[in-house]
Amino acid sequence: MSERYSRQTLFPPIGKGGQEKIRSKHVLMIGAGALGSGNAELLVRAGIGRLTIVDRDYVEASNLQRQQLYTEEDVAEKLPKAAAAEKRLKAINSEVAITAMIADATPEKLAELIDGVDLIIDATDNFETRMAINDISQKFRIPWIYGACVGSFGMSFSIIPGKTPCLNCLLKTVPLQGMTCDTGGIIGPAVQMVIAHQGAEALKILVEDWDAVRTSFVSFDLWRNQYTSMKMSKAKDPGCLSCGEHPEYPYLDVENMTKTTVLCGRDTVQIRPPKQQQLNLQDTAEKMKDLGYQVKGNPYLVSVEMDDNRMVIFEDGRALIHGTKDLAQARSIYQRFFG
Ligand SMILES: [Zn+2]
């Protein structure tokens, strides 16, 4: 495989030394949707040493338009994205150590996974998780790369603890909360553009070319032909609760985390039990069948058909209730089975 990375090592800012650095690094990818698929594929092809990829969802037909790791077969099997991504990524590069986790990236989960990580890539679709990534990054002094897209619009920013402002600082300047839901649809090129920005920054950070790392906040609209780059050096807030002089890491406070969440742009509510569990999925499936429900499943999840809803249950005790955005209704469906 000596030729495998030749085009990358020929690129002077990387070279053979840079390639060895890439090989020695561990990236934590939060999310395996559109941004996670593309970023993971790019890093695995580039020869990253270790990749941990975390995702809470499974593959659906509407993902295929832009989530480049997945196939119709994954949809038919309802494979969790983390499991489907792992399979595909291992086929692309068997030299990379890949760990896939079917889980919600809660602050506890992030803290559990952070050991030995050199870089975190944000490939989530929600504000709550991004703020938790931001606090974990500051607390453990690990860089992370923010990325988001909706419609034909996208943006990215690299956050280096001790150097750049953090996402919590930026909230005072940039209205980021609105960028969390894909209710306005999305086109593949917008995803690819964010991946290109996040991926290039990742390579710079992995080869430790710190001077090359982008310090501005980049945003673009591919449909309206707009591209902007905002300087952010003045955005750093000394009183910031995440990166300031007396940090409190407010988003790692688990009590702040909602247990019931409407999933981004979908008729789906996620319910997460207060404590992580280890469900026996086979027993769960049997129980549902005994109650007269039509049940489907695979080694990772159980899917239960109801009159107007569908409930998908994962091993960690989480459930996705499809067909509703009503939190109370979703909770009552869940409680019918899990108390
Ligand atoms: Zn800050």
Side-chain angles (χ1 to χ4, degrees), residues 134-135 138 159 164-170 172 235-244:
N134 186 61
D135 273 356
Q138 294 300 329
I159 295 164
T164 66
C166 80
L167 201 68
N168 204 359
C169 296
L170 256 55
K172 287 144 204 152
K236 196 164 168 64
D237 172 12
C240 174
L241 289 178
S242 298
C243 76

